[in-house]
Amino acid sequence: MSTESSPRPESSLPQNRELVLKVIPMPADCNANGDIFGGWVMAQVDLAGSVLPARHVRGRMATVAVNQFVFKQPVRVGDILSFFAHISRVGNTSITVQVEVFAERFSAQGQYVKVTEASLTYVAIDMEGRPRPIPKDAGSQPQS
């Protein structure tokens, strides 16, 4: 495990983002340094990022780009990770989503630190895997 001191915890979680996923990493998800493997975090971010576009796309979609991915702090076994997302762009066939990941450290419940942020783009696809238009009324769907 990393012995780095944690940065000052965030005072609050994002209010203008939707909580789309919560997960606790386990020992099997560790890298050789004892922190959680970055690839595991990336996979969780991809899952979290797909939640909001699924409401708009109304069918199959695929991740086509990871526009930005920043690991700000290590993730540790037992952290409670909260994934918040919002849609930043809706195009004809694609949707770009921003995802922020906050950790509640195992030893400091109720205090949050941002550990990762990312921007991903998803594209609506048809049954043959070709891009297809996103329904025009998709943006008017209520978001809970």
Side-chain angles (χ1 to χ4, degrees), residues 3 5 18 33 40-41 45 48 54 57 61 63 69 80-82 95-96 98 113 115 121 130:
T3 58
S5 62
E18 184 171 345
N33 297 322
W40 181 88
V41 175
V45 167
V57 169
M61 65 181 180
T63 309
F69 207 104
I80 300 171
L81 299 182
S82 298
I95 298 180
T96 301
Q98 308 302 315
V113 61
V115 293
T121 300
R130 294 183 302 245

Side-chain angles (χ1 to χ4, degrees), residues 64-82:
V64 295
V66 176
N67 308 309
Q68 177 187 32
F69 207 104
V70 179
F71 293 102
K72 296 179 144 318
Q73 295 293 322
V75 174
R76 301 182 181 109
V77 171
D79 285 352
I80 300 171
L81 299 182
S82 298

Side-chain angles (χ1 to χ4, degrees), residues 28-142:
D29 306 315
C30 282
N31 62 23
N33 297 322
D35 296 318
I36 299 304
F37 179 56
W40 181 88
V41 175
M42 292 180 86
Q44 302 307 306
V45 167
D46 192 19
L47 290 170
S50 70
V51 171
L52 299 181
R55 295 179 187 158
H56 292 269
V57 169
R58 298 186 193 146
R60 293 183 67 200
M61 65 181 180
T63 309
V64 295
V66 176
N67 308 309
Q68 177 187 32
F69 207 104
V70 179
F71 293 102
K72 296 179 144 318
Q73 295 293 322
V75 174
R76 301 182 181 109
V77 171
D79 285 352
I80 300 171
L81 299 182
S82 298
F83 296 73
F84 292 87
H86 80 280
I87 293 173
S88 59
R89 181 186 170 280
V90 178
N92 293 325
T93 62
S94 66
I95 298 180
T96 301
V97 179
Q98 308 302 315
V99 178
E100 294 176 287
V101 185
F102 290 81
E104 266 182 280
R105 300 298 189 193
F106 183 74
S107 60
Q109 299 291 309
Q111 296 179 4
Y112 301 90
V113 61
K114 186 188 286 190
V115 293
T116 303
E117 59 188 23
S119 171
L120 301 98
T121 300
Y122 300 85
V123 68
I125 57 174
D126 63 19
M127 294 310 288
E128 287 77 41
R130 294 183 302 245
R132 66 172 174 83
I134 295 170
K136 292 298 179 203
D137 63 339
S140 63
Q141 280 187 308

